[in-house]
Coordinates of all heavy atoms in Angstrom, one line a residue:
M1404 N -6.1 6.5 20.5 CA -6.4 5.7 19.3 C -7.3 6.5 18.4 O -8.2 7.2 18.8 CB -7.1 4.4 19.8 CG -7.3 3.4 18.7 SD -8.0 1.9 19.3 CE -9.7 2.3 19.6
L1405 N -7.1 6.4 17.2 CA -7.9 7.1 16.1 C -9.3 6.6 16.2 O -9.6 5.4 16.3 CB -7.3 6.8 14.7 CG -6.1 7.6 14.3 CD1 -5.6 7.1 12.9 CD2 -6.5 9.1 14.2
E1406 N -10.2 7.6 16.0 CA -11.6 7.2 16.0 C -12.0 6.5 14.7 O -13.0 5.7 14.7 CB -12.5 8.5 16.1 CG -13.0 8.8 17.4 CD -14.0 10.0 17.4 OE1 -15.0 9.9 16.7 OE2 -13.7 10.9 18.1
L1407 N -11.3 6.8 13.6 CA -11.7 6.2 12.3 C -13.2 6.6 12.0 O -14.0 5.6 11.9 CB -11.4 4.7 12.2 CG -10.0 4.3 12.4 CD1 -9.9 2.8 12.4 CD2 -9.1 4.8 11.2
R1408 N -13.5 7.8 11.9 CA -14.9 8.2 11.6 C -15.3 7.7 10.2 O -14.5 7.6 9.3 CB -15.0 9.8 11.7 CG -14.7 10.2 13.1 CD -14.8 11.7 13.2 NE -14.3 12.1 14.6 CZ -14.0 13.4 14.9 NH1 -14.0 14.3 14.0 NH2 -13.6 13.7 16.1
P1409 N -16.6 7.5 10.1 CA -17.1 6.7 8.9 C -17.4 7.6 7.7 O -17.8 7.0 6.7 CB -18.4 6.1 9.5 CG -18.9 7.1 10.5 CD -17.6 7.6 11.2
N1410 N -17.3 8.9 7.8 CA -17.6 9.7 6.6 C -16.9 11.0 6.5 O -16.3 11.4 7.5 CB -19.1 10.0 6.6 CG -19.5 10.9 7.8 OD1 -19.5 10.5 8.9 ND2 -19.9 12.1 7.5
C1411 N -17.0 11.6 5.4 CA -16.4 12.9 5.1 C -17.2 14.0 5.8 O -18.5 14.0 5.5 CB -16.2 13.2 3.6 SG -15.7 14.9 3.2
E1412 N -16.6 14.9 6.5 CA -17.4 16.0 7.2 C -18.0 16.9 6.2 O -19.0 17.7 6.5 CB -16.5 16.8 8.2 CG -16.5 16.2 9.5 CD -15.8 17.1 10.5 OE1 -16.1 18.3 10.5 OE2 -15.0 16.6 11.4
C1413 N -17.4 17.1 5.0 CA -17.9 18.0 4.0 C -19.0 17.5 3.2 O -20.1 18.0 3.1 CB -16.8 18.4 3.1 SG -15.8 19.7 3.8
C1414 N -18.8 16.4 2.5 CA -19.8 15.9 1.5 C -20.6 14.7 2.0 O -21.5 14.2 1.4 CB -19.1 15.5 0.2 SG -17.9 14.1 0.3
G1415 N -20.1 14.1 3.2 CA -20.9 13.0 3.8 C -20.6 11.7 3.2 O -21.2 10.7 3.5
C1416 N -19.7 11.6 2.2 CA -19.4 10.3 1.6 C -18.8 9.3 2.6 O -18.2 9.7 3.5 CB -18.5 10.5 0.3 SG -16.8 10.8 0.7
D1417 N -19.0 8.1 2.3 CA -18.5 7.0 3.2 C -17.0 6.8 3.1 O -16.4 6.9 2.0 CB -19.2 5.7 2.9 CG -20.6 5.7 3.4 OD1 -21.0 6.5 4.3 OD2 -21.4 4.9 2.8
L1418 N -16.3 6.7 4.3 CA -14.9 6.5 4.4 C -14.7 5.3 5.2 O -14.4 5.4 6.4 CB -14.2 7.7 4.8 CG -14.2 8.9 3.9 CD1 -13.7 10.2 4.7 CD2 -13.4 8.7 2.7
P1419 N -14.7 4.1 4.7 CA -14.6 2.9 5.5 C -13.1 2.8 6.1 O -12.2 3.5 5.5 CB -14.8 1.7 4.6 CG -14.8 2.3 3.2 CD -15.1 3.8 3.3
P1420 N -12.9 2.1 7.2 CA -11.6 2.1 7.8 C -10.4 1.7 6.9 O -9.3 2.1 7.1 CB -11.7 1.2 9.0 CG -13.0 0.5 8.8 CD -13.9 1.3 7.9
Q1421 N -10.7 0.9 5.9 CA -9.7 0.4 5.0 C -9.5 1.4 3.8 O -8.6 1.1 2.9 CB -10.0 -1.0 4.5 CG -11.1 -1.0 3.5 CD -12.5 -1.1 4.1 OE1 -12.7 -0.8 5.3 NE2 -13.5 -1.5 3.3
S1422 N -10.2 2.5 3.8 CA -10.1 3.4 2.7 C -8.8 4.2 2.7 O -8.3 4.7 3.7 CB -11.3 4.4 2.7 OG -11.1 5.4 1.7
A1423 N -8.2 4.2 1.5 CA -7.0 5.1 1.3 C -7.3 6.5 0.9 O -6.4 7.3 0.7 CB -6.1 4.4 0.3
E1424 N -8.6 6.8 0.8 CA -9.0 8.1 0.4 C -9.3 9.0 1.6 O -9.6 10.2 1.4 CB -10.4 8.0 -0.4 CG -10.2 7.1 -1.6 CD -9.4 7.8 -2.7 OE1 -9.9 8.8 -3.2 OE2 -8.3 7.3 -3.0
A1425 N -9.2 8.5 2.8 CA -9.6 9.3 4.0 C -8.4 10.2 4.4 O -7.3 9.8 4.3 CB -9.9 8.4 5.2
R1426 N -8.8 11.5 4.8 CA -7.8 12.5 5.2 C -8.2 13.0 6.6 O -9.4 13.2 6.8 CB -7.7 13.6 4.2 CG -7.3 13.3 2.8 CD -5.8 12.8 2.7 NE -5.4 12.5 1.4 CZ -5.5 11.3 0.8 NH1 -6.1 10.3 1.5 NH2 -5.1 11.1 -0.4
I1427 N -7.2 13.2 7.5 CA -7.6 13.6 8.8 C -6.7 14.8 9.2 O -5.5 14.9 8.7 CB -7.5 12.5 9.9 CG1 -6.1 11.9 9.9 CG2 -8.6 11.5 9.6 CD1 -5.9 11.0 11.1
C1428 N -7.1 15.6 10.2 CA -6.3 16.6 10.8 C -5.9 16.0 12.2 O -6.3 14.9 12.5 CB -6.9 17.9 11.0 SG -8.1 18.0 12.3
S1429 N -5.1 16.8 13.0 CA -4.6 16.2 14.2 C -5.8 16.0 15.2 O -5.6 15.3 16.2 CB -3.5 17.2 14.8 OG -4.2 18.4 15.3
F1430 N -6.9 16.7 15.0 CA -8.1 16.4 15.9 C -9.0 15.4 15.3 O -10.1 15.2 15.8 CB -8.8 17.7 16.1 CG -8.1 18.8 16.8 CD1 -7.5 19.9 16.0 CD2 -7.9 18.8 18.1 CE1 -6.7 20.8 16.7 CE2 -7.2 19.8 18.8 CZ -6.5 20.8 18.1
E1431 N -8.6 14.7 14.3 CA -9.3 13.7 13.6 C -10.6 14.1 12.9 O -11.5 13.4 12.7 CB -9.7 12.6 14.7 CG -8.5 11.9 15.3 CD -8.9 10.8 16.3 OE1 -9.8 10.0 16.0 OE2 -8.4 10.9 17.4
C1432 N -10.6 15.4 12.6 CA -11.6 15.9 11.6 C -11.3 15.1 10.4 O -10.2 15.0 10.0 CB -11.5 17.4 11.3 SG -11.5 18.4 12.8
T1433 N -12.4 14.6 9.8 CA -12.2 13.5 8.7 C -12.8 14.0 7.4 O -14.0 14.4 7.4 CB -12.8 12.2 9.2 OG1 -12.1 11.8 10.4 CG2 -12.5 11.1 8.1
F1434 N -12.0 13.9 6.3 CA -12.5 14.3 5.0 C -12.1 13.3 4.0 O -11.2 12.6 4.2 CB -11.9 15.7 4.7 CG -12.3 16.7 5.7 CD1 -11.4 17.0 6.7 CD2 -13.5 17.3 5.7 CE1 -11.7 17.9 7.7 CE2 -13.9 18.3 6.7 CZ -13.0 18.6 7.7
C1435 N -12.8 13.3 2.8 CA -12.4 12.5 1.7 C -11.3 13.2 0.9 O -11.1 14.4 1.1 CB -13.6 12.2 0.8 SG -14.2 13.6 -0.1
R1436 N -10.6 12.4 0.1 CA -9.5 13.0 -0.6 C -9.9 14.1 -1.5 O -9.3 15.2 -1.7 CB -8.8 11.9 -1.4 CG -7.5 12.5 -2.1 CD -6.7 11.3 -2.8 NE -7.5 10.7 -3.8 CZ -7.1 10.3 -5.0 NH1 -5.9 10.5 -5.3 NH2 -7.8 9.7 -5.8
E1437 N -11.1 13.9 -2.1 CA -11.6 14.9 -3.1 C -11.8 16.3 -2.4 O -11.4 17.3 -3.0 CB -12.9 14.4 -3.7 CG -13.2 15.1 -5.0 CD -14.5 14.5 -5.6 OE1 -14.5 13.2 -5.8 OE2 -15.4 15.2 -6.0
C1438 N -12.4 16.3 -1.3 CA -12.6 17.5 -0.5 C -11.3 18.1 0.0 O -11.1 19.3 -0.1 CB -13.6 17.3 0.6 SG -15.3 16.9 0.0
A1439 N -10.5 17.2 0.6 CA -9.3 17.6 1.2 C -8.3 18.3 0.2 O -7.8 19.4 0.5 CB -8.6 16.5 1.9
E1440 N -8.2 17.7 -1.0 CA -7.3 18.2 -2.0 C -8.0 19.3 -2.9 O -7.3 20.1 -3.5 CB -6.8 17.1 -2.8 CG -5.9 16.2 -2.1 CD -5.4 15.0 -2.9 OE1 -5.7 14.9 -4.1 OE2 -4.6 14.2 -2.4
G1441 N -9.3 19.3 -2.9 CA -10.0 20.2 -3.8 C -10.4 21.5 -3.0 O -9.6 22.4 -2.7
V1442 N -11.6 21.5 -2.5 CA -12.2 22.7 -1.9 C -11.4 23.1 -0.6 O -11.4 24.3 -0.3 CB -13.7 22.5 -1.6 CG1 -13.9 21.5 -0.4 CG2 -14.4 23.8 -1.3
L1443 N -10.8 22.2 0.1 CA -10.2 22.6 1.4 C -8.7 22.9 1.2 O -8.0 23.4 2.1 CB -10.3 21.4 2.4 CG -11.7 21.0 2.7 CD1 -11.7 19.8 3.7 CD2 -12.5 22.1 3.4
A1444 N -8.1 22.5 0.1 CA -6.8 22.9 -0.3 C -5.8 22.4 0.8 O -4.8 23.1 1.1 CB -6.6 24.3 -0.6
G1445 N -6.1 21.2 1.4 CA -5.1 20.6 2.3 C -5.2 21.1 3.7 O -4.4 20.7 4.6
A1446 N -6.1 22.0 4.0 CA -6.2 22.5 5.4 C -7.6 22.2 6.0 O -8.6 22.3 5.3 CB -6.0 24.0 5.4
C1447 N -7.6 21.8 7.3 CA -8.9 21.5 8.0 C -9.7 22.8 8.1 O -9.2 23.8 8.6 CB -8.6 20.9 9.3 SG -10.1 20.6 10.2
P1448 N -11.0 22.8 7.7 CA -11.8 24.0 7.8 C -12.2 24.2 9.3 O -12.7 25.3 9.6 CB -13.0 23.6 7.0 CG -13.1 22.2 7.0 CD -11.7 21.6 7.1
N1449 N -12.0 23.3 10.2 CA -12.4 23.4 11.6 C -11.3 24.1 12.4 O -11.5 25.0 13.2 CB -12.8 22.1 12.2 CG -14.0 21.5 11.4 OD1 -14.9 22.2 11.0 ND2 -14.0 20.2 11.3
C1450 N -10.1 23.6 12.2 CA -9.0 24.0 13.0 C -7.8 24.7 12.3 O -6.9 25.2 12.9 CB -8.5 22.8 13.9 SG -7.6 21.6 12.9
G1451 N -7.9 24.6 11.0 CA -6.8 25.2 10.2 C -5.6 24.3 10.0 O -4.6 24.7 9.4
G1452 N -5.6 23.2 10.6 CA -4.4 22.3 10.6 C -4.3 21.5 9.3 O -5.2 21.6 8.5
E1453 N -3.2 20.9 9.1 CA -3.0 20.2 7.9 C -3.7 18.9 7.9 O -3.9 18.2 8.9 CB -1.5 20.0 7.6 CG -0.8 19.0 8.6 CD 0.7 18.8 8.3 OE1 1.0 18.7 7.1 OE2 1.5 18.9 9.2
L1454 N -4.1 18.5 6.7 CA -4.8 17.2 6.4 C -3.9 16.2 5.8 O -3.2 16.5 4.9 CB -6.0 17.4 5.5 CG -7.1 18.3 6.1 CD1 -8.2 18.6 5.0 CD2 -7.8 17.6 7.3
V1455 N -3.8 15.1 6.4 CA -2.9 14.0 6.0 C -3.7 12.7 5.8 O -4.8 12.6 6.3 CB -1.7 13.8 7.0 CG1 -0.9 15.0 7.1 CG2 -2.2 13.3 8.3
R1456 N -3.1 11.8 5.0 CA -3.8 10.6 4.8 C -4.0 9.8 6.1 O -3.1 9.7 6.9 CB -3.0 9.7 3.8 CG -3.8 8.5 3.3 CD -3.1 7.7 2.3 NE -2.2 6.8 2.9 CZ -2.6 5.5 3.4 NH1 -3.8 5.1 3.2 NH2 -1.7 4.8 3.9
R1457 N -5.2 9.3 6.3 CA -5.5 8.5 7.5 C -4.9 7.1 7.3 O -5.2 6.5 6.4 CB -7.0 8.4 7.7 CG -7.4 7.7 9.0 CD -8.9 7.7 9.2 NE -9.5 6.8 8.3 CZ -10.8 6.7 8.2 NH1 -11.6 7.5 8.9 NH2 -11.4 5.9 7.3
P1458 N -4.1 6.7 8.3 CA -3.6 5.3 8.2 C -4.7 4.3 8.3 O -5.6 4.5 8.9 CB -2.6 5.2 9.4 CG -3.0 6.3 10.3 CD -3.7 7.4 9.6
V1459 N -4.5 3.2 7.5 CA -5.5 2.1 7.5 C -5.2 1.2 8.7 O -4.1 0.8 8.9 CB -5.3 1.4 6.1 CG1 -6.2 0.1 6.2 CG2 -5.8 2.3 5.0
R1460 N -6.2 0.9 9.4 CA -6.1 0.0 10.5 C -6.2 -1.4 9.9 O -7.2 -1.8 9.2 CB -7.2 0.2 11.5 CG -7.1 -0.7 12.8 CD -8.0 -0.2 13.9 NE -7.6 1.1 14.3 CZ -8.4 1.9 15.1 NH1 -9.6 1.5 15.5 NH2 -8.0 3.1 15.4
P1461 N -5.3 -2.3 10.2 CA -5.4 -3.7 9.7 C -6.7 -4.4 10.0 O -7.2 -4.2 11.2 CB -4.2 -4.4 10.3 CG -3.2 -3.2 10.7 CD -4.1 -2.1 11.1
A1462 N -7.2 -5.1 9.1 CA -8.5 -5.7 9.3 C -8.5 -6.6 10.5 O -9.5 -6.7 11.2 CB -8.9 -6.5 8.0
A1463 N -7.4 -7.3 10.8 CA -7.4 -8.1 11.9 C -7.5 -7.4 13.3 O -8.0 -8.0 14.2 CB -6.0 -8.9 11.9
K1464 N -7.2 -6.1 13.3 CA -7.3 -5.3 14.5 C -8.7 -4.7 14.6 O -9.1 -4.3 15.8 CB -6.3 -4.2 14.5 CG -4.9 -4.7 14.4 CD -4.5 -5.4 15.7 CE -3.0 -5.9 15.6 NZ -2.7 -6.8 16.7
L1465 N -9.5 -4.6 13.5 CA -10.7 -3.9 13.6 C -11.8 -4.7 14.5 O -12.7 -4.1 15.0 CB -11.3 -3.7 12.2 CG -10.7 -2.6 11.4 CD1 -11.1 -2.7 10.0 CD2 -11.1 -1.3 12.0
A1466 N -11.6 -6.0 14.6 CA -12.6 -6.7 15.4 C -12.5 -6.3 16.9 O -13.4 -6.1 17.6 CB -12.3 -8.2 15.3
R1467 N -11.2 -6.1 17.3 CA -11.0 -5.7 18.7 C -11.0 -4.2 18.9 O -11.4 -3.7 20.0 CB -9.6 -6.3 19.2 CG -9.7 -6.9 20.5 CD -8.3 -7.4 21.0 NE -8.0 -6.7 22.2 CZ -6.8 -6.7 22.7 NH1 -5.8 -7.2 22.1 NH2 -6.6 -6.1 23.9
F1468 N -10.6 -3.5 17.9 CA -10.6 -2.0 18.0 C -11.4 -1.4 16.8 O -10.9 -1.0 15.8 CB -9.1 -1.5 17.9 CG -8.2 -2.1 18.9 CD1 -7.4 -3.2 18.6 CD2 -8.3 -1.7 20.2 CE1 -6.5 -3.8 19.5 CE2 -7.4 -2.2 21.2 CZ -6.5 -3.3 20.8
P1469 N -12.7 -1.6 16.9 CA -13.6 -1.2 15.8 C -13.5 0.3 15.5 O -13.3 1.1 16.4 CB -15.0 -1.6 16.3 CG -14.9 -1.7 17.7 CD -13.5 -2.0 18.1
A1470 N -13.9 0.6 14.2 CA -13.9 2.0 13.8 C -15.2 2.6 14.4 O -16.1 2.0 14.8 CB -14.0 2.1 12.3
S1471 N -15.1 4.0 14.6 CA -16.3 4.8 15.0 C -17.4 4.6 14.1 O -17.2 4.5 12.9 CB -15.9 6.2 15.2 OG -17.0 7.0 15.4
T1472 N -18.7 4.6 14.6 CA -19.8 4.6 13.7 C -20.6 6.0 13.9 O -21.6 6.1 13.3 CB -20.8 3.5 14.1 OG1 -21.1 3.6 15.5 CG2 -20.2 2.1 13.9
R1473 N -20.0 6.9 14.6 CA -20.6 8.2 14.8 C -20.3 9.1 13.7 O -19.2 9.5 13.5 CB -20.1 8.8 16.2 CG -20.8 10.1 16.5 CD -20.3 10.5 17.9 NE -18.9 10.9 17.9 CZ -18.4 12.1 17.7 NH1 -19.2 13.1 17.5 NH2 -17.1 12.3 17.7
R1474 N -21.3 9.4 12.9 CA -21.1 10.2 11.7 C -21.0 11.7 12.1 O -21.9 12.2 12.8 CB -22.2 10.0 10.7 CG -22.3 8.6 10.1 CD -23.4 8.4 9.1 NE -23.0 9.0 7.8 CZ -22.3 8.4 6.9 NH1 -21.9 7.1 7.1 NH2 -22.0 8.9 5.7
V1475 N -20.0 12.4 11.7 CA -19.8 13.8 11.9 C -20.0 14.5 10.6 O -19.3 14.2 9.7 CB -18.5 14.1 12.6 CG1 -18.2 15.6 12.8 CG2 -18.3 13.3 13.9
L1476 N -20.8 15.5 10.5 CA -21.1 16.2 9.3 C -21.2 17.7 9.7 O -21.9 18.1 10.6 CB -22.3 15.7 8.6 CG -22.5 16.1 7.2 CD1 -21.4 15.5 6.3 CD2 -23.9 15.5 6.7
K1477 N -20.4 18.5 8.9 CA -20.5 20.0 9.1 C -21.9 20.4 8.7 O -22.3 20.2 7.6 CB -19.5 20.7 8.3 CG -18.1 20.6 9.0 CD -17.1 21.3 8.1 CE -17.1 22.8 8.1 NZ -16.8 23.4 9.4
A1478 N -22.7 21.1 9.7 CA -24.0 21.4 9.5 C -24.1 22.4 8.3 O -25.0 22.3 7.4 CB -24.7 22.0 10.7
E1479 N -23.2 23.3 8.3 CA -23.2 24.4 7.2 C -22.5 23.9 6.0 O -22.4 24.6 5.0 CB -22.6 25.7 7.7 CG -21.1 25.7 7.9 CD -20.6 25.0 9.2 OE1 -21.4 24.3 9.8 OE2 -19.5 25.3 9.6
G1480 N -21.9 22.7 6.0 CA -21.2 22.2 4.8 C -19.9 22.9 4.7 O -19.5 23.8 5.5
C1481 N -19.2 22.6 3.6 CA -17.9 23.3 3.3 C -18.2 24.3 2.2 O -19.1 24.1 1.5 CB -16.9 22.3 2.9 SG -16.3 21.4 4.3
P1482 N -17.4 25.3 2.0 CA -17.6 26.2 1.0 C -17.6 25.6 -0.4 O -16.8 24.6 -0.6 CB -16.4 27.2 1.1 CG -15.4 26.6 2.0 CD -16.1 25.6 2.8
P1483 N -18.5 26.0 -1.3 CA -18.6 25.4 -2.6 C -17.3 25.6 -3.4 O -16.6 26.6 -3.2 CB -19.7 26.1 -3.3 CG -19.9 27.4 -2.5 CD -19.5 27.1 -1.1
R1484 N -17.0 24.6 -4.2 CA -15.7 24.6 -4.9 C -15.5 25.9 -5.7 O -14.4 26.4 -5.7 CB -15.8 23.4 -5.8 CG -14.4 23.0 -6.4 CD -14.6 21.7 -7.2 NE -14.9 20.6 -6.3 CZ -13.9 19.8 -5.8 NH1 -12.7 20.0 -6.1 NH2 -14.2 18.8 -5.0
D1485 N -16.5 26.4 -6.3 CA -16.3 27.5 -7.2 C -16.1 28.8 -6.4 O -15.7 29.9 -6.9 CB -17.4 27.7 -8.2 CG -18.8 27.8 -7.5 OD1 -18.8 28.0 -6.3 OD2 -19.8 27.8 -8.3
A1486 N -16.3 28.8 -5.1 CA -16.1 30.0 -4.3 C -14.6 30.0 -3.7 O -14.2 31.0 -3.2 CB -17.0 30.0 -3.1
A1487 N -13.9 28.9 -3.9 CA -12.6 28.8 -3.3 C -11.6 29.5 -4.2 O -11.8 29.8 -5.3 CB -12.2 27.4 -3.1
Ligands
LIG654 ZN1 -15.8 14.8 0.9
LIG655 ZN1 -9.4 19.9 12.3

């Protein structure tokens, strides 16, 4: 089951489970759309895999299968946009 992590690993912005802006790789590294399509150019900086839109879990299911609350943030951040 998807972890549905609560934030972007690059910029730390919030990505609630109903967000259509969340992007994930096959390992569930999680990013916002802005980072995924911008600085990351569609590839996960951790594993090199492709980033796709994270499916939204229906609200009715979230009560039984809640989203993760463990925030994952890249300590070194992602490369700045102007370096890409
Ligand atoms: Zn971001
Ligand atoms: Zn990854």
Side-chain angles (χ1 to χ4, degrees):
M1404 185 172 78
L1405 278 175
E1406 259 187 61
L1407 297 175
R1408 293 177 189 166
N1410 66 290
C1411 171
E1412 273 191 40
C1413 278
C1414 68
C1416 72
D1417 288 334
L1418 293 169
Q1421 72 276 14
S1422 174
E1424 300 290 291
R1426 300 291 183 272
I1427 58 170
C1428 78
S1429 70
F1430 296 101
E1431 300 179 49
C1432 309
T1433 303
F1434 303 95
C1435 69
R1436 184 172 62 137
E1437 199 174 310
C1438 290
E1440 293 178 359
V1442 69
L1443 301 177
C1447 175
N1449 300 323
C1450 68
E1453 67 181 314
L1454 293 171
V1455 299
R1456 194 178 79 85
R1457 185 177 70 185
V1459 170
R1460 183 168 301 166
K1464 301 292 181 193
L1465 279 169
R1467 229 185 118 194
F1468 304 101
S1471 168
T1472 55
R1473 186 173 65 91
R1474 296 182 78 87
V1475 178
L1476 196 60
K1477 282 175 76 64
E1479 71 280 19
C1481 286
R1484 192 173 292 266
D1485 57 9

